[in-house]
Amino acid sequence: MKTVHTAQNHPVSWHEWCAPQGRPVIICPGAGMAGALPFGEDHARQSDLRMISVDRAGLGNSAPDTAKSFTSWCNDIRTILAHIGAETTDVIGFSQGAPFALALGASNLARTVSVVSGQDELCHPAIFSLLPEPVAAMVQRAQSDPEKLEAEMTEFATADWLWHMIETMSGEQDRLIYASEDFAPAYKAALNAGFQQGAAGYARDTILAIAPWPFKLEDITCPVYLWYGLKDISPVHSPDFGTSLSKRIKNAQLYHFEDDGSAILWTKADEILSKLV
């Protein structure tokens, strides 16, 4: 684990793997995750990629921030890039990490953005109409009374609760991977690390992710790679498997895997990373 302090003296932490002096790749982990849940190690090492998985504020070892926003997140990444001597970076956002990755693209910090099994802007009209009722209701609450929803989530959310949600919202193929003897302990460890300060960091992330995004996807100019498995049944990922996103983002390329679900960050890591080199 590494840590740097922002201009506001807030510690921001991250974990790295593969090439320590290589081309940086900022990883925006999924909901409630912190620490390291590596993927594509062999390919990244061969391609001289420095994989940097960042704990968002309030998760893992990064300081909590009650005013956390996409702007403060981008500033945290600027601090890390300045610390390692880089001006821009490739970015990968998995699941709920997708809007945080796209925010870096909109802030001109990203050389490329890869969205993997990513959440869409759920309140966008083209997407909202496709949501199941419980998710649509939560999205509406995030707009009408975000403070109350955030407070409720802070009270009840735990690492174990989120793990159960992930299992429940995953198809059979994904459960075989997520719940496997080799993978489940590492995924649970990432969730436990994410919740070690409590649920406030996760709750704030969720409100930011499901409320209207303050940046415009249409203004992103860097290449954006959209990766979706067509057997992904999660109701909080993109319900049209990135089709609307690909139309809204100028330089987007959309890739589908017909026989895979949401776990493609691990099952298709080499193909995803190959676009970065």
Side-chain angles (χ1 to χ4, degrees):
M1 183 190 74
K2 298 186 178 182
T3 301
V4 68
H5 286 73
T6 67
Q8 293 74 35
N9 204 32
H10 291 164
V12 180
S13 296
W14 70 94
H15 286 72
E16 295 188 12
W17 64 89
C18 293
Q21 302 300 322
R23 176 173 169 173
V25 181
I26 294 290
I27 314 300
C28 307
M33 295 169 64
L37 189 55
F39 58 90
E41 295 103 311
D42 290 341
H43 189 94
R45 194 175 295 108
Q46 293 167 8
S47 301
D48 197 34
L49 298 178
R50 181 180 184 177
M51 309 296 279
I52 301 172
S53 184
V54 183
D55 296 350
R56 295 189 286 274
L59 278 71
N61 291 288
S62 290
D65 182 2
T66 56
K68 178 167 59 173
S69 64
F70 287 112
T71 298
S72 69
W73 160 251
C74 290
N75 288 335
D76 289 348
I77 300 305
R78 283 191 180 92
T79 300
I80 292 174
L81 293 180
H83 179 75
I84 66 174
E87 294 183 0
T88 62
T89 177
D90 295 294
V91 177
I92 298 176
F94 171 68
S95 188
Q96 194 180 86
F100 295 92
L102 290 166
L104 296 175
S107 296
N108 296 317
L109 288 169
R111 184 185 298 110
T112 66
V113 174
S114 298
V115 169
V116 184
S117 305
Q119 183 181 314
D120 208 320
E121 187 172 19
L122 301 181
C123 59
H124 188 272
I127 297 301
F128 185 80
S129 62
L130 302 176
L131 299 178
E133 193 280 329
V135 177
M138 186 170 68
V139 170
Q140 289 177 319
R141 287 194 64 199
Q143 297 178 70
S144 64
D145 197 353
E147 292 83 6
K148 184 176 181 180
L149 179 58
E150 184 174 347
E152 291 176 2
M153 296 181 70
T154 300
E155 286 295 319
F156 72 74
T158 66
D160 288 341
W161 168 84
L162 186 52
W163 172 253
H164 177 72
M165 287 283 289
I166 292 167
E167 283 195 299
T168 301
M169 296 190 304
S170 296
E172 183 177 354
Q173 273 187 310
D174 283 325
R175 284 197 297 271
L176 289 173
I177 297 168
Y178 292 147
S180 69
E181 186 176 306
D182 293 334
F183 193 84
Y187 205 130
K188 290 179 180 180
L191 293 177
N192 287 331
F195 280 83
Q196 68 184 21
Q197 301 182 63
Y202 162 75
R204 183 65 179 163
D205 277 2
T206 301
I207 296 299
L208 292 173
I210 67 176
W213 298 346
F215 54 89
K216 291 185 178 180
L217 295 177
E218 293 78 4
D219 292 341
I220 297 175
T221 58
C222 69
V224 176
Y225 307 112
L226 305 169
W227 302 89
Y228 288 92
L230 297 183
K231 294 191 182 299
D232 182 359
I233 66 168
S234 172
V236 294
H237 292 166
S238 175
D240 66 359
F241 303 106
T243 299
S244 295
L245 283 174
S246 69
K247 294 177 180 177
R248 296 180 64 193
I249 300 171
K250 295 175 184 176
N251 293 322
Q253 298 179 38
L254 177 59
Y255 299 91
H256 287 154
F257 296 106
E258 291 188 7
D259 299 320
D260 293 85
S262 66
I264 54 174
L265 186 63
W266 294 275
T267 62
K268 301 296 183 182
D270 288 0
E271 292 176 63
I272 292 167
L273 292 178
S274 69
K275 289 294 182 182
L276 308 186
V277 294

